[in-house]
Amino acid sequence: MGNIERIGSSLRSLRKSKKITLQQVAQDTGLSTGYLSNIERNMTSPTLANIQKICEVLNSSLGDLLERNAEETIVIRKNDREIMVDESGMHIENIDFGIPNTSFLYVEMPPNTDTRNEWWTHEFDEVGTVLEGTMWIDMDGNTFELHSGDSIYVKAHTRHNFYNNSETETTRSYWTRIWIPEED
């Protein structure tokens, strides 16, 4: 039988295999997307009643989830990435290997993608690396210009934004997000 501590990874794996979004599960269960995301990242343990609600939406059972136990993902093909944002010229894809407390993003911004009015603050640390082009990041009153190969560390709860001022270059970057579990 599978490991109960990894039930969230199993739920995420099953949900993705059925091509159901987290928002759809939230809507159909009445549970918040934040709560469901924490379950899928194995950061919180769901109640049996909530597991039952989720299983009903996914047409599965707790026993099936425990047996499934979230097969390890080794390769994620470009076409299999979950698109998180595709608006305002910005394209963000989630690269999810089912690793607890960690997620990865691919971000693409065409020339002149100006998102300086959109500030981000979140509860996780992140490290970004520019793969191609130039990216500008405003953080803590400073502006950082990053070129291909440059990386930046953004601490949790730090107000920041990023944008592409180039007239001709598309900016492509890779981000690792890390949640530090709170101690009980």
Side-chain angles (χ1 to χ4, degrees):
M1 188 155 251
N3 187 344
I4 190 71
E5 286 83 24
R6 305 243 334 130
I7 194 75
S9 298
S10 295
L11 285 168
R12 177 177 31 214
S13 175
L14 178 61
R15 176 180 62 78
K16 288 183 170 242
S17 73
K18 293 180 177 269
K19 306 225 183 286
I20 298 173
T21 67
L22 203 55
Q23 291 77 15
Q24 289 171 303
V25 175
Q27 182 179 350
D28 292 346
T29 61
L31 303 171
S32 75
T33 54
Y35 174 71
L36 291 168
S37 176
N38 283 340
I39 290 171
E40 287 192 355
R41 290 183 285 122
N42 298 303
M43 294 184 68
T44 191
S45 297
T47 65
L48 286 176
N50 287 342
I51 288 176
Q52 183 60 35
K53 287 179 186 178
I54 297 166
C55 285
E56 285 175 14
V57 169
L58 299 176
N59 196 24
S60 188
S61 70
L62 177 58
D64 290 344
L65 288 174
L66 292 174
E67 289 299 321
R68 180 184 188 90
N69 200 21
E71 301 170 9
E72 266 189 56
T73 302
I74 297 172
V75 174
I76 297 175
R77 303 287 178 205
K78 181 179 179 176
N79 293 338
D80 294 335
R81 296 180 194 160
E82 176 185 2
I83 297 172
M84 296 177 61
V85 174
D86 198 11
E87 58 188 50
S88 303
M90 189 178 307
H91 182 81
I92 302 176
E93 297 175 350
N94 188 30
I95 304 168
D96 184 1
F97 288 96
I99 302 168
N101 305 320
T102 308
S103 71
F104 308 94
L105 299 177
Y106 170 79
V107 178
E108 191 171 293
M109 294 184 293
N112 296 312
T113 301
D114 189 351
T115 57
R116 281 176 274 193
N117 294 326
E118 299 175 30
W119 290 92
W120 302 70
T121 305
H122 34 65
E123 297 188 7
F124 47 82
D125 293 345
E126 64 184 344
V127 175
T129 300
V130 176
L131 303 172
E132 185 179 316
T134 304
M135 174 184 280
W136 286 263
I137 298 179
D138 292 336
M139 179 173 61
D140 287 337
N142 296 305
T143 299
F144 301 94
E145 184 177 332
L146 303 177
H147 301 277
S148 181
D150 293 343
S151 297
I152 191 164
Y153 172 62
V154 181
K155 289 184 181 180
H157 308 288
T158 301
R159 189 171 184 251
H160 63 286
N161 64 29
F162 52 94
Y163 47 94
N164 179 2
N165 273 347
S166 172
E167 298 285 329
T168 58
E169 291 183 314
T170 295
T171 300
R172 293 177 178 84
S173 59
Y174 176 79
W175 294 82
T176 300
R177 304 185 303 176
I178 307 146
W179 286 261
I180 308 298
E182 294 181 18
E183 295 184 27
D184 293 330

